Amino acid sequence: MVVRSTTHALRGAAILSLVVLHLFQDPANGFIQRAWSWLRMQWWFQHDSFEPILSTLWFFPCLALWFTCDLYLPSLHKYRLQPHRTDTSHWKVVANPASGRSHMPTLFFYLAPLVAFDLVFPRRQLPVLAPTAPTLLLEIVAMLLVYDLLFFVCHWSMHHLPGVYPRVHAKHHEKTVTRANDAVRLTLVEEFFDVGCSVVAVNVVGAHPLSRALYDMLIVYLLVELHCGYDMPWMWHNVVPAGLMGGPPRHDRHHMDGRFYFQKFFTYIDNTLGFVPLPPKVKT
């Protein structure tokens, strides 16, 4: 009951925030414009590789959050999806980088080609005007939806095209209990497609650079949360109503049984195409 009350309270707070934003759009838009005017003058924000560098660096605090929960906050372990599975060996690469399984090469191979491309083809443009508050929110949601659709196609293909799974995706499924740093347990090929889906999404939407920066931070957090192995009442999939988001419960089940739940964030494609477990038969 306490868990459900927490979720309802957060959902109500989110709705109230949207109502306040609608009623006070002009002050909100003014604040966004002032913030944007300052940001666009900063040398680090003007850098062509700002977005990939932001995404890479943002992984560290997001991973640190769940590292702390797993190893130092046992009071939160009651929210674990598989409470009987106490394996935290996923984090050995963090505690012991000399183990030979560090994720630093993954981050390097993600960042290096993007920075090189930006150096060869500088193209970052920062308009004078900021997006309005509604435009900012709509663009972020649109980018998440496009990314999720594209990733579904890639993810389903990795599981079903002959010979692809063992070469490309099996590394990500090494463990059947998820921990947050599984978000970066990727082969270079699936890393390429994952980043590619996001690059296509931001360009298809044609989003403002401020929307893109906030989207970069949100999607990194969601990717890490998706693999955290917890189901907490304040998580996105619980606060967003009507089961529109799948969250860690669905993705944890996917890691246990790869026949189900190929969407990363949302649920409508899996539900429509039947990539969900059949409900248990009721004994008569």
Side-chain angles (χ1 to χ4, degrees), residues 59-73 76-77 79-80 88 91 94 178-183 220-237 248:
F59 266 107
F60 289 97
C62 292
L63 290 169
L65 170 66
W66 298 108
F67 175 81
T68 304
C69 288
D70 275 342
L71 272 64
Y72 300 109
L73 294 175
L76 295 178
H77 293 179
Y79 295 114
R80 277 181 171 166
T88 56
W91 293 112
V94 176
T178 54
R179 296 289 182 260
N181 70 334
D182 287 331
V220 166
Y221 173 76
L222 289 175
L223 288 172
V224 175
E225 184 191 84
L226 192 70
H227 294 86
C228 71
Y230 290 86
D231 184 10
M232 297 176 174
W234 48 84
M235 285 179 166
W236 284 80
H237 67 281

Side-chain angles (χ1 to χ4, degrees), residues 68 79 88 108 112 117 119-120 122 142 147 158 170 178 182 204 226 234-235 238 264 278:
T68 304
Y79 295 114
T88 56
F108 172 78
F117 186 82
L119 289 173
V120 176
Y147 168 85
M158 290 178 192
T178 54
D182 287 331
V204 165
L226 192 70
W234 48 84
M235 285 179 166
N238 286 321
K264 225 168 202 175
L278 294 174

